[in-house]
PDB file of all heavy atoms in Angstrom:
ATOM      1  N   LEU H 992      -1.644-161.831-127.004  1.00  0.00           N
ATOM      2  CA  LEU H 992      -2.930-162.454-126.718  1.00  0.00           C
ATOM      3  C   LEU H 992      -2.871-162.907-125.306  1.00  0.00           C
ATOM      4  O   LEU H 992      -1.888-163.685-124.885  1.00  0.00           O
ATOM      5  CB  LEU H 992      -3.265-163.547-127.675  1.00  0.00           C
ATOM      6  CG  LEU H 992      -3.464-163.304-129.106  1.00  0.00           C
ATOM      7  CD1 LEU H 992      -3.665-164.645-129.808  1.00  0.00           C
ATOM      8  CD2 LEU H 992      -4.619-162.281-129.313  1.00  0.00           C
ATOM      9  N   VAL H 993      -3.739-162.598-124.438  1.00  0.00           N
ATOM     10  CA  VAL H 993      -3.834-163.092-122.960  1.00  0.00           C
ATOM     11  C   VAL H 993      -4.868-164.207-122.946  1.00  0.00           C
ATOM     12  O   VAL H 993      -5.934-163.994-123.238  1.00  0.00           O
ATOM     13  CB  VAL H 993      -4.212-161.830-122.088  1.00  0.00           C
ATOM     14  CG1 VAL H 993      -4.227-162.503-120.614  1.00  0.00           C
ATOM     15  CG2 VAL H 993      -3.201-160.696-122.134  1.00  0.00           C
ATOM     16  N   LEU H 994      -4.266-165.390-122.575  1.00  0.00           N
ATOM     17  CA  LEU H 994      -5.139-166.588-122.456  1.00  0.00           C
ATOM     18  C   LEU H 994      -5.629-166.837-121.097  1.00  0.00           C
ATOM     19  O   LEU H 994      -4.984-166.422-120.144  1.00  0.00           O
ATOM     20  CB  LEU H 994      -4.322-167.826-122.887  1.00  0.00           C
ATOM     21  CG  LEU H 994      -3.602-167.761-124.300  1.00  0.00           C
ATOM     22  CD1 LEU H 994      -3.065-169.049-124.753  1.00  0.00           C
ATOM     23  CD2 LEU H 994      -4.675-167.302-125.347  1.00  0.00           C
ATOM     24  N   GLY H 995      -6.789-167.488-121.073  1.00  0.00           N
ATOM     25  CA  GLY H 995      -7.478-167.812-119.822  1.00  0.00           C
ATOM     26  C   GLY H 995      -7.272-169.377-119.507  1.00  0.00           C
ATOM     27  O   GLY H 995      -6.386-169.961-120.071  1.00  0.00           O
ATOM     28  N   SER H 996      -8.076-169.907-118.706  1.00  0.00           N
ATOM     29  CA  SER H 996      -7.952-171.291-118.263  1.00  0.00           C
ATOM     30  C   SER H 996      -8.883-172.073-119.126  1.00  0.00           C
ATOM     31  O   SER H 996      -9.724-171.639-119.920  1.00  0.00           O
ATOM     32  CB  SER H 996      -8.272-171.462-116.810  1.00  0.00           C
ATOM     33  OG  SER H 996      -9.533-171.054-116.518  1.00  0.00           O
ATOM     34  N   GLY H 997      -8.928-173.369-118.903  1.00  0.00           N
ATOM     35  CA  GLY H 997      -9.870-174.276-119.637  1.00  0.00           C
ATOM     36  C   GLY H 997      -9.520-174.553-121.096  1.00  0.00           C
ATOM     37  O   GLY H 997     -10.386-174.945-121.932  1.00  0.00           O
ATOM     38  N   ASN H 998      -8.193-174.398-121.476  1.00  0.00           N
ATOM     39  CA  ASN H 998      -7.756-174.715-122.800  1.00  0.00           C
ATOM     40  C   ASN H 998      -7.720-176.411-122.930  1.00  0.00           C
ATOM     41  O   ASN H 998      -7.108-176.951-122.051  1.00  0.00           O
ATOM     42  CB  ASN H 998      -6.461-174.095-123.073  1.00  0.00           C
ATOM     43  CG  ASN H 998      -6.465-172.651-122.823  1.00  0.00           C
ATOM     44  OD1 ASN H 998      -7.174-171.919-123.523  1.00  0.00           O
ATOM     45  ND2 ASN H 998      -5.766-172.165-121.822  1.00  0.00           N
ATOM     46  N   THR H 999      -8.090-176.845-124.021  1.00  0.00           N
ATOM     47  CA  THR H 999      -8.219-178.310-124.260  1.00  0.00           C
ATOM     48  C   THR H 999      -7.847-178.678-125.642  1.00  0.00           C
ATOM     49  O   THR H 999      -7.986-177.826-126.560  1.00  0.00           O
ATOM     50  CB  THR H 999      -9.589-178.906-123.809  1.00  0.00           C
ATOM     51  OG1 THR H 999     -10.503-178.339-124.753  1.00  0.00           O
ATOM     52  CG2 THR H 999      -9.953-178.673-122.400  1.00  0.00           C
ATOM     53  N   VAL H1000      -7.617-179.928-125.789  1.00  0.00           N
ATOM     54  CA  VAL H1000      -7.469-180.601-127.130  1.00  0.00           C
ATOM     55  C   VAL H1000      -8.441-181.765-127.059  1.00  0.00           C
ATOM     56  O   VAL H1000      -8.478-182.490-126.188  1.00  0.00           O
ATOM     57  CB  VAL H1000      -5.968-181.068-127.494  1.00  0.00           C
ATOM     58  CG1 VAL H1000      -5.148-179.799-127.598  1.00  0.00           C
ATOM     59  CG2 VAL H1000      -5.406-181.915-126.425  1.00  0.00           C
ATOM     60  N   LYS H1001      -9.078-182.038-128.240  1.00  0.00           N
ATOM     61  CA  LYS H1001      -9.880-183.220-128.429  1.00  0.00           C
ATOM     62  C   LYS H1001      -9.192-184.069-129.532  1.00  0.00           C
ATOM     63  O   LYS H1001      -8.972-183.593-130.627  1.00  0.00           O
ATOM     64  CB  LYS H1001     -11.235-182.784-129.033  1.00  0.00           C
ATOM     65  CG  LYS H1001     -12.199-184.043-129.168  1.00  0.00           C
ATOM     66  CD  LYS H1001     -13.612-183.561-129.561  1.00  0.00           C
ATOM     67  CE  LYS H1001     -14.641-184.773-129.531  1.00  0.00           C
ATOM     68  NZ  LYS H1001     -15.990-184.223-130.013  1.00  0.00           N
ATOM     69  N   LEU H1002      -8.706-185.237-129.153  1.00  0.00           N
ATOM     70  CA  LEU H1002      -7.899-186.086-129.968  1.00  0.00           C
ATOM     71  C   LEU H1002      -8.714-186.733-131.030  1.00  0.00           C
ATOM     72  O   LEU H1002      -9.911-186.760-131.020  1.00  0.00           O
ATOM     73  CB  LEU H1002      -7.150-187.128-129.050  1.00  0.00           C
ATOM     74  CG  LEU H1002      -6.353-186.492-127.920  1.00  0.00           C
ATOM     75  CD1 LEU H1002      -5.650-187.590-127.106  1.00  0.00           C
ATOM     76  CD2 LEU H1002      -5.375-185.475-128.429  1.00  0.00           C
ATOM     77  N   ALA H1003      -7.954-187.535-131.828  1.00  0.00           N
ATOM     78  CA  ALA H1003      -8.707-188.163-132.989  1.00  0.00           C
ATOM     79  C   ALA H1003      -9.672-189.384-132.498  1.00  0.00           C
ATOM     80  O   ALA H1003     -10.657-189.636-133.064  1.00  0.00           O
ATOM     81  CB  ALA H1003      -7.574-188.928-133.890  1.00  0.00           C
ATOM     82  N   ASP H1004      -9.438-189.860-131.246  1.00  0.00           N
ATOM     83  CA  ASP H1004     -10.337-190.922-130.711  1.00  0.00           C
ATOM     84  C   ASP H1004     -11.467-190.413-129.897  1.00  0.00           C
ATOM     85  O   ASP H1004     -12.244-191.120-129.279  1.00  0.00           O
ATOM     86  CB  ASP H1004      -9.443-191.836-129.797  1.00  0.00           C
ATOM     87  CG  ASP H1004      -8.852-191.185-128.616  1.00  0.00           C
ATOM     88  OD1 ASP H1004      -9.217-189.974-128.409  1.00  0.00           O
ATOM     89  OD2 ASP H1004      -8.031-191.840-127.943  1.00  0.00           O
ATOM     90  N   GLY H1005     -11.528-188.990-129.986  1.00  0.00           N
ATOM     91  CA  GLY H1005     -12.757-188.362-129.305  1.00  0.00           C
ATOM     92  C   GLY H1005     -12.478-187.983-127.800  1.00  0.00           C
ATOM     93  O   GLY H1005     -13.288-187.306-127.159  1.00  0.00           O
ATOM     94  N   SER H1006     -11.313-188.416-127.252  1.00  0.00           N
ATOM     95  CA  SER H1006     -11.007-188.029-125.877  1.00  0.00           C
ATOM     96  C   SER H1006     -10.530-186.593-125.736  1.00  0.00           C
ATOM     97  O   SER H1006     -10.001-186.161-126.731  1.00  0.00           O
ATOM     98  CB  SER H1006      -9.991-189.024-125.209  1.00  0.00           C
ATOM     99  OG  SER H1006      -8.708-188.801-125.984  1.00  0.00           O
ATOM    100  N   VAL H1007     -10.851-185.921-124.638  1.00  0.00           N
ATOM    101  CA  VAL H1007     -10.468-184.614-124.358  1.00  0.00           C
ATOM    102  C   VAL H1007      -9.483-184.555-123.369  1.00  0.00           C
ATOM    103  O   VAL H1007      -9.493-185.073-122.293  1.00  0.00           O
ATOM    104  CB  VAL H1007     -11.654-183.804-124.079  1.00  0.00           C
ATOM    105  CG1 VAL H1007     -11.386-182.225-123.627  1.00  0.00           C
ATOM    106  CG2 VAL H1007     -12.772-183.727-125.036  1.00  0.00           C
ATOM    107  N   GLN H1008      -8.300-183.727-123.612  1.00  0.00           N
ATOM    108  CA  GLN H1008      -7.168-183.605-122.725  1.00  0.00           C
ATOM    109  C   GLN H1008      -6.937-182.034-122.408  1.00  0.00           C
ATOM    110  O   GLN H1008      -7.228-181.208-123.350  1.00  0.00           O
ATOM    111  CB  GLN H1008      -6.002-184.247-123.309  1.00  0.00           C
ATOM    112  CG  GLN H1008      -6.143-185.758-123.632  1.00  0.00           C
ATOM    113  CD  GLN H1008      -6.263-186.546-122.337  1.00  0.00           C
ATOM    114  OE1 GLN H1008      -5.616-186.164-121.341  1.00  0.00           O
ATOM    115  NE2 GLN H1008      -6.782-187.819-122.412  1.00  0.00           N
ATOM    116  N   PRO H1009      -6.453-181.801-121.195  1.00  0.00           N
ATOM    117  CA  PRO H1009      -6.176-180.393-120.977  1.00  0.00           C
ATOM    118  C   PRO H1009      -4.925-179.894-121.869  1.00  0.00           C
ATOM    119  O   PRO H1009      -4.021-180.730-122.048  1.00  0.00           O
ATOM    120  CB  PRO H1009      -5.815-180.239-119.483  1.00  0.00           C
ATOM    121  CG  PRO H1009      -5.485-181.740-119.202  1.00  0.00           C
ATOM    122  CD  PRO H1009      -6.265-182.647-120.114  1.00  0.00           C
ATOM    123  N   LEU H1010      -4.990-178.676-122.268  1.00  0.00           N
ATOM    124  CA  LEU H1010      -3.857-178.033-123.034  1.00  0.00           C
ATOM    125  C   LEU H1010      -3.197-177.032-122.085  1.00  0.00           C
ATOM    126  O   LEU H1010      -3.831-176.153-121.667  1.00  0.00           O
ATOM    127  CB  LEU H1010      -4.424-177.351-124.253  1.00  0.00           C
ATOM    128  CG  LEU H1010      -3.483-176.475-125.175  1.00  0.00           C
ATOM    129  CD1 LEU H1010      -2.336-177.576-125.669  1.00  0.00           C
ATOM    130  CD2 LEU H1010      -4.117-175.867-126.259  1.00  0.00           C
ATOM    131  N   LYS H1011      -1.957-177.459-121.765  1.00  0.00           N
ATOM    132  CA  LYS H1011      -1.298-176.673-120.682  1.00  0.00           C
ATOM    133  C   LYS H1011      -0.571-175.364-121.377  1.00  0.00           C
ATOM    134  O   LYS H1011       0.051-175.519-122.374  1.00  0.00           O
ATOM    135  CB  LYS H1011      -0.158-177.574-119.991  1.00  0.00           C
ATOM    136  CG  LYS H1011       0.715-176.910-118.960  1.00  0.00           C
ATOM    137  CD  LYS H1011       1.674-177.819-118.301  1.00  0.00           C
ATOM    138  CE  LYS H1011       2.483-177.070-117.246  1.00  0.00           C
ATOM    139  NZ  LYS H1011       3.517-177.969-116.653  1.00  0.00           N
ATOM    140  N   VAL H1012      -0.825-174.383-120.598  1.00  0.00           N
ATOM    141  CA  VAL H1012      -0.092-173.088-121.056  1.00  0.00           C
ATOM    142  C   VAL H1012       1.096-172.847-120.123  1.00  0.00           C
ATOM    143  O   VAL H1012       0.974-172.666-118.932  1.00  0.00           O
ATOM    144  CB  VAL H1012      -1.136-171.888-120.961  1.00  0.00           C
ATOM    145  CG1 VAL H1012      -0.387-170.537-121.299  1.00  0.00           C
ATOM    146  CG2 VAL H1012      -2.310-172.055-121.800  1.00  0.00           C
ATOM    147  N   PRO H1013       2.276-172.816-120.697  1.00  0.00           N
ATOM    148  CA  PRO H1013       3.563-172.691-119.839  1.00  0.00           C
ATOM    149  C   PRO H1013       3.435-171.285-119.118  1.00  0.00           C
ATOM    150  O   PRO H1013       2.845-170.417-119.450  1.00  0.00           O
ATOM    151  CB  PRO H1013       4.581-172.558-120.893  1.00  0.00           C
ATOM    152  CG  PRO H1013       4.228-173.306-122.056  1.00  0.00           C
ATOM    153  CD  PRO H1013       2.684-172.979-122.083  1.00  0.00           C
ATOM    154  N   SER H1014       4.068-171.363-117.873  1.00  0.00           N
ATOM    155  CA  SER H1014       4.022-170.274-117.015  1.00  0.00           C
ATOM    156  C   SER H1014       4.706-168.932-117.637  1.00  0.00           C
ATOM    157  O   SER H1014       4.229-167.918-117.239  1.00  0.00           O
ATOM    158  CB  SER H1014       4.804-170.557-115.736  1.00  0.00           C
ATOM    159  OG  SER H1014       6.173-170.952-115.833  1.00  0.00           O
ATOM    160  N   GLY H1015       5.643-169.207-118.480  1.00  0.00           N
ATOM    161  CA  GLY H1015       6.151-167.949-119.194  1.00  0.00           C
ATOM    162  C   GLY H1015       5.215-167.224-120.066  1.00  0.00           C
ATOM    163  O   GLY H1015       5.553-166.194-120.552  1.00  0.00           O
ATOM    164  N   MET H1016       4.129-167.778-120.311  1.00  0.00           N
ATOM    165  CA  MET H1016       3.013-167.073-121.252  1.00  0.00           C
ATOM    166  C   MET H1016       1.929-166.630-120.472  1.00  0.00           C
ATOM    167  O   MET H1016       0.914-166.112-120.901  1.00  0.00           O
ATOM    168  CB  MET H1016       2.599-168.123-122.274  1.00  0.00           C
ATOM    169  CG  MET H1016       3.595-168.600-123.241  1.00  0.00           C
ATOM    170  SD  MET H1016       2.893-169.758-124.333  1.00  0.00           S
ATOM    171  CE  MET H1016       4.388-170.313-125.261  1.00  0.00           C
ATOM    172  N   GLN H1017       2.034-166.630-119.071  1.00  0.00           N
ATOM    173  CA  GLN H1017       0.799-166.096-118.347  1.00  0.00           C
ATOM    174  C   GLN H1017       0.640-164.627-118.581  1.00  0.00           C
ATOM    175  O   GLN H1017      -0.508-164.070-118.504  1.00  0.00           O
ATOM    176  CB  GLN H1017       1.106-166.308-116.745  1.00  0.00           C
ATOM    177  CG  GLN H1017       1.248-167.754-116.429  1.00  0.00           C
ATOM    178  CD  GLN H1017       0.042-168.556-116.818  1.00  0.00           C
ATOM    179  OE1 GLN H1017      -0.997-168.186-116.766  1.00  0.00           O
ATOM    180  NE2 GLN H1017       0.293-169.712-117.254  1.00  0.00           N
ATOM    181  N   SER H1018       1.654-163.886-118.932  1.00  0.00           N
ATOM    182  CA  SER H1018       1.541-162.321-119.294  1.00  0.00           C
ATOM    183  C   SER H1018       1.035-162.223-120.636  1.00  0.00           C
ATOM    184  O   SER H1018       0.592-161.079-121.044  1.00  0.00           O
ATOM    185  CB  SER H1018       2.711-161.750-118.988  1.00  0.00           C
ATOM    186  OG  SER H1018       3.767-162.133-119.920  1.00  0.00           O
ATOM    187  N   GLY H1019       0.905-163.293-121.398  1.00  0.00           N
ATOM    188  CA  GLY H1019       0.401-163.172-122.816  1.00  0.00           C
ATOM    189  C   GLY H1019       1.248-163.776-123.800  1.00  0.00           C
ATOM    190  O   GLY H1019       2.466-163.792-123.548  1.00  0.00           O
ATOM    191  N   ILE H1020       0.783-164.152-124.917  1.00  0.00           N
ATOM    192  CA  ILE H1020       1.573-164.704-125.994  1.00  0.00           C
ATOM    193  C   ILE H1020       1.958-163.452-126.935  1.00  0.00           C
ATOM    194  O   ILE H1020       1.083-162.749-127.553  1.00  0.00           O
ATOM    195  CB  ILE H1020       0.728-165.675-127.018  1.00  0.00           C
ATOM    196  CG1 ILE H1020       0.341-166.852-126.005  1.00  0.00           C
ATOM    197  CG2 ILE H1020       1.488-166.109-128.036  1.00  0.00           C
ATOM    198  CD1 ILE H1020      -0.638-167.776-126.811  1.00  0.00           C
ATOM    199  N   LYS H1021       3.185-163.084-126.890  1.00  0.00           N
ATOM    200  CA  LYS H1021       3.626-161.944-127.721  1.00  0.00           C
ATOM    201  C   LYS H1021       3.838-162.233-129.133  1.00  0.00           C
ATOM    202  O   LYS H1021       4.225-163.200-129.622  1.00  0.00           O
ATOM    203  CB  LYS H1021       4.868-161.471-127.019  1.00  0.00           C
ATOM    204  CG  LYS H1021       4.787-160.931-125.682  1.00  0.00           C
ATOM    205  CD  LYS H1021       6.045-160.295-125.060  1.00  0.00           C
ATOM    206  CE  LYS H1021       5.757-159.751-123.638  1.00  0.00           C
ATOM    207  NZ  LYS H1021       5.371-160.693-122.782  1.00  0.00           N
ATOM    208  N   LEU H1022       3.408-161.155-130.002  1.00  0.00           N
ATOM    209  CA  LEU H1022       3.463-161.273-131.437  1.00  0.00           C
ATOM    210  C   LEU H1022       4.390-160.143-131.866  1.00  0.00           C
ATOM    211  O   LEU H1022       4.075-158.814-131.521  1.00  0.00           O
ATOM    212  CB  LEU H1022       2.164-161.184-132.209  1.00  0.00           C
ATOM    213  CG  LEU H1022       1.235-162.284-131.936  1.00  0.00           C
ATOM    214  CD1 LEU H1022       0.473-162.180-130.623  1.00  0.00           C
ATOM    215  CD2 LEU H1022       0.211-162.259-133.114  1.00  0.00           C
ATOM    216  N   ILE H1023       5.271-160.318-132.752  1.00  0.00           N
ATOM    217  CA  ILE H1023       6.114-159.208-133.348  1.00  0.00           C
ATOM    218  C   ILE H1023       5.351-158.785-134.619  1.00  0.00           C
ATOM    219  O   ILE H1023       5.207-159.421-135.522  1.00  0.00           O
ATOM    220  CB  ILE H1023       7.484-159.637-133.746  1.00  0.00           C
ATOM    221  CG1 ILE H1023       8.232-160.152-132.495  1.00  0.00           C
ATOM    222  CG2 ILE H1023       8.397-158.431-134.406  1.00  0.00           C
ATOM    223  CD1 ILE H1023       8.336-159.134-131.268  1.00  0.00           C
ATOM    224  N   VAL H1024       5.001-157.436-134.572  1.00  0.00           N
ATOM    225  CA  VAL H1024       4.309-156.874-135.778  1.00  0.00           C
ATOM    226  C   VAL H1024       5.006-155.813-136.383  1.00  0.00           C
ATOM    227  O   VAL H1024       6.071-155.353-135.761  1.00  0.00           O
ATOM    228  CB  VAL H1024       2.884-156.506-135.384  1.00  0.00           C
ATOM    229  CG1 VAL H1024       2.121-157.797-134.830  1.00  0.00           C
ATOM    230  CG2 VAL H1024       2.927-155.472-134.255  1.00  0.00           C
ATOM    231  N   ASN H1025       4.594-155.235-137.481  1.00  0.00           N
ATOM    232  CA  ASN H1025       5.198-154.150-138.162  1.00  0.00           C
ATOM    233  C   ASN H1025       4.258-153.401-139.044  1.00  0.00           C
ATOM    234  O   ASN H1025       4.059-153.676-140.243  1.00  0.00           O
ATOM    235  CB  ASN H1025       6.394-154.699-138.969  1.00  0.00           C
ATOM    236  CG  ASN H1025       7.149-153.469-139.644  1.00  0.00           C
ATOM    237  OD1 ASN H1025       7.249-152.335-139.231  1.00  0.00           O
ATOM    238  ND2 ASN H1025       7.785-153.713-140.829  1.00  0.00           N
ATOM    239  N   PHE H1026       3.498-152.533-138.535  1.00  0.00           N
ATOM    240  CA  PHE H1026       2.526-151.857-139.268  1.00  0.00           C
ATOM    241  C   PHE H1026       2.269-150.421-138.640  1.00  0.00           C
ATOM    242  O   PHE H1026       2.628-150.185-137.541  1.00  0.00           O
ATOM    243  CB  PHE H1026       1.175-152.472-139.431  1.00  0.00           C
ATOM    244  CG  PHE H1026       0.597-152.993-138.179  1.00  0.00           C
ATOM    245  CD1 PHE H1026       0.059-152.302-137.185  1.00  0.00           C
ATOM    246  CD2 PHE H1026       0.570-154.420-137.840  1.00  0.00           C
ATOM    247  CE1 PHE H1026      -0.598-152.734-136.085  1.00  0.00           C
ATOM    248  CE2 PHE H1026      -0.004-154.963-136.835  1.00  0.00           C
ATOM    249  CZ  PHE H1026      -0.565-154.072-135.889  1.00  0.00           C
ATOM    250  N   ASP H1027       1.681-149.534-139.460  1.00  0.00           N
ATOM    251  CA  ASP H1027       1.412-148.151-139.040  1.00  0.00           C
ATOM    252  C   ASP H1027      -0.094-147.920-138.949  1.00  0.00           C
ATOM    253  O   ASP H1027      -0.881-148.436-139.897  1.00  0.00           O
ATOM    254  CB  ASP H1027       2.001-147.155-139.901  1.00  0.00           C
ATOM    255  CG  ASP H1027       3.498-147.235-139.852  1.00  0.00           C
ATOM    256  OD1 ASP H1027       4.172-146.788-138.816  1.00  0.00           O
ATOM    257  OD2 ASP H1027       4.106-147.638-140.893  1.00  0.00           O
ATOM    258  N   VAL H1028      -0.550-147.142-138.008  1.00  0.00           N
ATOM    259  CA  VAL H1028      -1.958-146.845-137.957  1.00  0.00           C
ATOM    260  C   VAL H1028      -2.038-145.368-138.246  1.00  0.00           C
ATOM    261  O   VAL H1028      -1.530-144.623-137.456  1.00  0.00           O
ATOM    262  CB  VAL H1028      -2.635-147.107-136.534  1.00  0.00           C
ATOM    263  CG1 VAL H1028      -4.029-146.754-136.452  1.00  0.00           C
ATOM    264  CG2 VAL H1028      -2.569-148.734-136.270  1.00  0.00           C
ATOM    265  N   ALA H1029      -2.709-145.038-139.306  1.00  0.00           N
ATOM    266  CA  ALA H1029      -2.756-143.650-139.768  1.00  0.00           C
ATOM    267  C   ALA H1029      -3.988-143.017-139.051  1.00  0.00           C
ATOM    268  O   ALA H1029      -5.051-143.662-138.822  1.00  0.00           O
ATOM    269  CB  ALA H1029      -2.831-143.437-141.263  1.00  0.00           C
ATOM    270  N   ALA H1030      -3.925-141.726-138.614  1.00  0.00           N
ATOM    271  CA  ALA H1030      -5.029-141.032-138.037  1.00  0.00           C
ATOM    272  C   ALA H1030      -6.383-140.983-138.970  1.00  0.00           C
ATOM    273  O   ALA H1030      -6.261-140.842-140.227  1.00  0.00           O
ATOM    274  CB  ALA H1030      -4.721-139.544-137.834  1.00  0.00           C
ATOM    275  N   GLY H1031      -7.392-141.423-138.262  1.00  0.00           N
ATOM    276  CA  GLY H1031      -8.768-141.346-139.086  1.00  0.00           C
ATOM    277  C   GLY H1031      -9.023-142.614-139.978  1.00  0.00           C
ATOM    278  O   GLY H1031      -9.848-142.603-140.733  1.00  0.00           O
ATOM    279  N   THR H1032      -8.127-143.652-139.761  1.00  0.00           N
ATOM    280  CA  THR H1032      -8.243-144.746-140.633  1.00  0.00           C
ATOM    281  C   THR H1032      -8.389-146.059-139.740  1.00  0.00           C
ATOM    282  O   THR H1032      -8.185-145.999-138.521  1.00  0.00           O
ATOM    283  CB  THR H1032      -6.947-145.057-141.448  1.00  0.00           C
ATOM    284  OG1 THR H1032      -5.890-145.348-140.716  1.00  0.00           O
ATOM    285  CG2 THR H1032      -6.671-143.855-142.306  1.00  0.00           C
ATOM    286  N   THR H1033      -8.887-147.007-140.374  1.00  0.00           N
ATOM    287  CA  THR H1033      -9.077-148.364-139.664  1.00  0.00           C
ATOM    288  C   THR H1033      -8.108-149.492-140.306  1.00  0.00           C
ATOM    289  O   THR H1033      -8.067-149.706-141.330  1.00  0.00           O
ATOM    290  CB  THR H1033     -10.587-148.934-139.774  1.00  0.00           C
ATOM    291  OG1 THR H1033     -11.407-148.002-139.193  1.00  0.00           O
ATOM    292  CG2 THR H1033     -10.656-150.374-139.060  1.00  0.00           C
ATOM    293  N   LYS H1034      -7.463-150.062-139.301  1.00  0.00           N
ATOM    294  CA  LYS H1034      -6.405-151.118-139.649  1.00  0.00           C
ATOM    295  C   LYS H1034      -7.062-152.395-139.454  1.00  0.00           C
ATOM    296  O   LYS H1034      -7.543-152.775-138.272  1.00  0.00           O
ATOM    297  CB  LYS H1034      -5.100-150.910-138.880  1.00  0.00           C
ATOM    298  CG  LYS H1034      -4.082-151.960-139.176  1.00  0.00           C
ATOM    299  CD  LYS H1034      -3.430-151.669-140.666  1.00  0.00           C
ATOM    300  CE  LYS H1034      -2.612-150.364-140.635  1.00  0.00           C
ATOM    301  NZ  LYS H1034      -1.969-150.322-141.910  1.00  0.00           N
TER     302      LYS H1034
END
């Protein structure tokens, strides 16, 4: 998942704070998956 800017958290008291994305994730949040896509099907 490739993230953009403007990520935030809204705390229990209603205040909004920026949610920082570490520099190591600028290329995307990587997920390890394990599945096959067969021809002519939808996964």
Side-chain angles (χ1 to χ4, degrees):
L992 298 178
V993 179
L994 303 185
S996 58
N998 305 292
T999 62
V1000 293
K1001 185 175 183 180
L1002 306 182
D1004 62 7
S1006 62
V1007 177
Q1008 301 291 334
L1010 178 60
K1011 181 179 178 181
V1012 178
S1014 58
M1016 295 179 189
Q1017 298 303 322
S1018 63
I1020 302 171
K1021 293 182 176 63
L1022 298 80
I1023 303 301
V1024 298
N1025 183 27
F1026 50 72
D1027 296 291
V1028 176
T1032 66
T1033 298
K1034 180 71 67 176

